[in-house]
Structures are given as C-alpha cells and as structure tokens.
Amino acid sequence: MDKKLHNFFASGLLEKYVLDEISASESLQVEQFIAKYPEVEQEYIKLQENLEIIAKAQAVEAPVSILDNILEDIDDKTQTPVVKLNTSSRKFSWFSIAASIATLLFAGGFYMKNEQNKALKRENQVVVDEIFDLRDDIDKNNQKLDNLMRQFMKLNNPETEKYVFRGNDRAKDLKTVAYINPIEETSMIDVVSLPQLPEDQTYQLWAEMQDRMVNLGILDASQRKLQSVPYVKDALALSITIGPKERLNTTSADSAIAQIDLNNKRNN
C-alpha cells in the first residue's frame, strides 16, 4: 500500500468523517482522498454500511403520546377564570361606589396575583421535572453513543472477519452475520432474519471444537440487533441449530440448519 494511503488510514480521519466529528479543513482533505483513491472510497462505503447496521440496531421510536400530552398541558394553562358579578339596581352614593370598586379591585388583584403565583409554582415544578428528565435522557443517550462507538470500532477493526450464515432447506430464509476478531477475542452476531418457529422450539448457537460442541446461547428472532456472544478460542466452526426448549444444552448431527467454517479462513 502507498505510504500516503497508509498514513491516511492510520490517522483515523475517515472514521471521524463518517461520524461527523471532524473540522472543515479535515473534511475537505478526506473528500479529496475519497475522490482520488478507489481504496479510500471502498473503505468509506464499508464504514457507512457498518454504521447503518449499528444505527438500525439502536433505533428507538418516540412514544406516540408525547404530542398529545404537550397539547393538553398547553390547553390547561391557557384557560382564564371568569368571575361573574351580579348587578344591583340599588343606588349608592359616589363614595360608597368608589369604596366598593376599590375593594373589588383589591380583592380581584389579590386573587389574580395568588392564582398567578400558584400557576408559576406549578410551571416551575414542571420545568424542574423536565430538566431532570432531560439529564436522564442525555445520560442514556451518551451511554448508547458510547456503546455505538465501541461496536463501530469493533466492526471496522482490520482483524475482524465477517461470516454470513445461510440456512439450508429447513430454514431457507435464515440470514445471520457473525463478526469475529481472533486477536481481541471478541464475537458479535447480527440477526438479520430468522424464520418463525413453533412455540416449543428455539434457535441455538454452537461452537464446534475438536472433541465437543459448546453451547453459546439462544438466538431470539425478535432481537434484530447487533449483540455480543461468547468467544471460543480454537473453535473449528459455528453452527445454528433448531431444538426443543426443554433440552437447550443438547444437539445432534442433523439439527444444524446453518454453519460457517472458521478453520479454513484462519489458515488462508
């Protein structure tokens, strides 16, 4: 590889560009490399695909009731109480009328001021509660972003190998991708599609050793996201089986519906 290209890849600018954590001058430099070198363009496309995989796995829909709650809260706060006064035909002296008006104005002002203070206290409490909720959301989002970054870096590690499970005649629609890094000893599974099974059966992931099979856990069809699985050193192959739920730790030779060979790829 060209030394200039090697230094560019080692700088990490391409990863920062994909994640939009880069300055304007660095962004221009990256775009020039993408336009000039096909190797950089291919790696850029790969990074975008990996980021899309993780983004879909972490996507969370906002609750539908949020807008209704906000509109209802606004309606409640904009209602103004109306005080109805009964008119009287009795004649009062100007002094009595003035005194009555002053008293009513004072009482009305006091009442309105009191109501405004109560409303202000309620609004302040709402603001305080919302601030705490926002802080909690920010912490959760920061944690998700941190997990996203970790998974993104694992996927784009040069030592990470990609393996695609494809189902046999018993599960033609099955498709699952495994990402394995033998240097860092990490394994991740991306469940793309798993055909629906009867209630009494389940999918299991196995690692094939020289003398035995090691159970790596259940694959849930509803968990369509990138997830970590145990790494098994010196495993020859990984296989997905269908078996009864009451016998999770047992398997047979004919129960495998998809398999990837790890030994051949490591020897190449």
Side-chain angles (χ1 to χ4, degrees), residues 147-165:
N147 293 335
L148 177 67
M149 284 290 297
R150 292 177 186 275
Q151 291 179 343
F152 185 70
M153 297 306 294
K154 286 180 180 180
L155 285 183
N156 294 292
N157 190 312
E159 301 297 336
T160 299
E161 298 287 352
K162 178 181 178 181
Y163 303 83
V164 179
F165 287 95

Side-chain angles (χ1 to χ4, degrees), residues 29-47:
Q29 179 184 355
V30 171
E31 291 169 357
Q32 290 174 347
F33 269 83
I34 293 175
K36 185 176 181 180
Y37 298 99
E39 299 95 325
V40 178
E41 183 182 8
Q42 292 175 3
E43 183 65 17
Y44 171 62
I45 295 173
K46 176 185 173 184
L47 291 176

Side-chain angles (χ1 to χ4, degrees), residues 155 160-165 175-181 186-192 205 226-227 229 238 260 262 265:
L155 285 183
T160 299
E161 298 287 352
K162 178 181 178 181
Y163 303 83
V164 179
F165 287 95
K175 185 177 180 183
T176 301
V177 183
Y179 299 91
I180 301 175
N181 188 323
T186 59
S187 298
M188 292 186 295
I189 288 288
D190 182 20
V191 177
V192 180
L205 182 65
L226 198 64
Q227 50 192 302
V229 296
L238 293 179
I260 54 173
L262 304 178
K265 201 160 187 178

Side-chain angles (χ1 to χ4, degrees), residues 44-182:
Y44 171 62
I45 295 173
K46 176 185 173 184
L47 291 176
Q48 285 186 311
E49 291 174 350
N50 289 339
L51 186 60
E52 183 179 357
I53 291 172
I54 299 174
K56 288 181 179 179
Q58 299 289 340
V60 177
E61 294 184 1
V64 180
S65 61
I66 284 181
L67 180 59
D68 294 336
N69 292 339
I70 292 174
L71 293 176
E72 182 180 349
D73 188 53
I74 291 173
D75 289 339
D76 291 341
K77 291 180 179 179
T78 55
Q79 293 177 356
T80 303
V82 177
V83 179
K84 185 176 181 181
L85 299 176
N86 294 325
T87 59
S88 175
S89 60
R90 296 183 64 182
K91 297 181 178 179
F92 295 92
S93 66
W94 288 110
F95 179 81
S96 299
I97 293 174
S100 299
I101 293 174
T103 302
L104 288 173
L105 290 175
F106 177 79
F110 177 80
Y111 174 79
M112 292 180 63
K113 192 68 175 179
N114 188 49
E115 289 299 309
Q116 288 176 354
N117 288 337
K118 289 180 180 179
L120 185 59
K121 288 181 180 179
R122 288 194 296 268
E123 291 177 1
N124 287 342
Q125 186 59 46
V126 170
V127 171
V128 170
D129 293 340
E130 289 177 349
I131 289 175
F132 278 106
D133 290 340
L134 284 174
R135 287 178 178 174
D136 187 53
D137 290 341
I138 290 172
D139 290 338
K140 290 179 180 178
N141 289 335
N142 286 339
Q143 183 63 42
K144 288 181 180 179
L145 181 60
D146 183 62
N147 293 335
L148 177 67
M149 284 290 297
R150 292 177 186 275
Q151 291 179 343
F152 185 70
M153 297 306 294
K154 286 180 180 180
L155 285 183
N156 294 292
N157 190 312
E159 301 297 336
T160 299
E161 298 287 352
K162 178 181 178 181
Y163 303 83
V164 179
F165 287 95
R166 299 190 185 276
N168 57 19
D169 293 337
R170 296 174 60 196
K172 293 182 179 180
D173 295 331
L174 180 146
K175 185 177 180 183
T176 301
V177 183
Y179 299 91
I180 301 175
N181 188 323

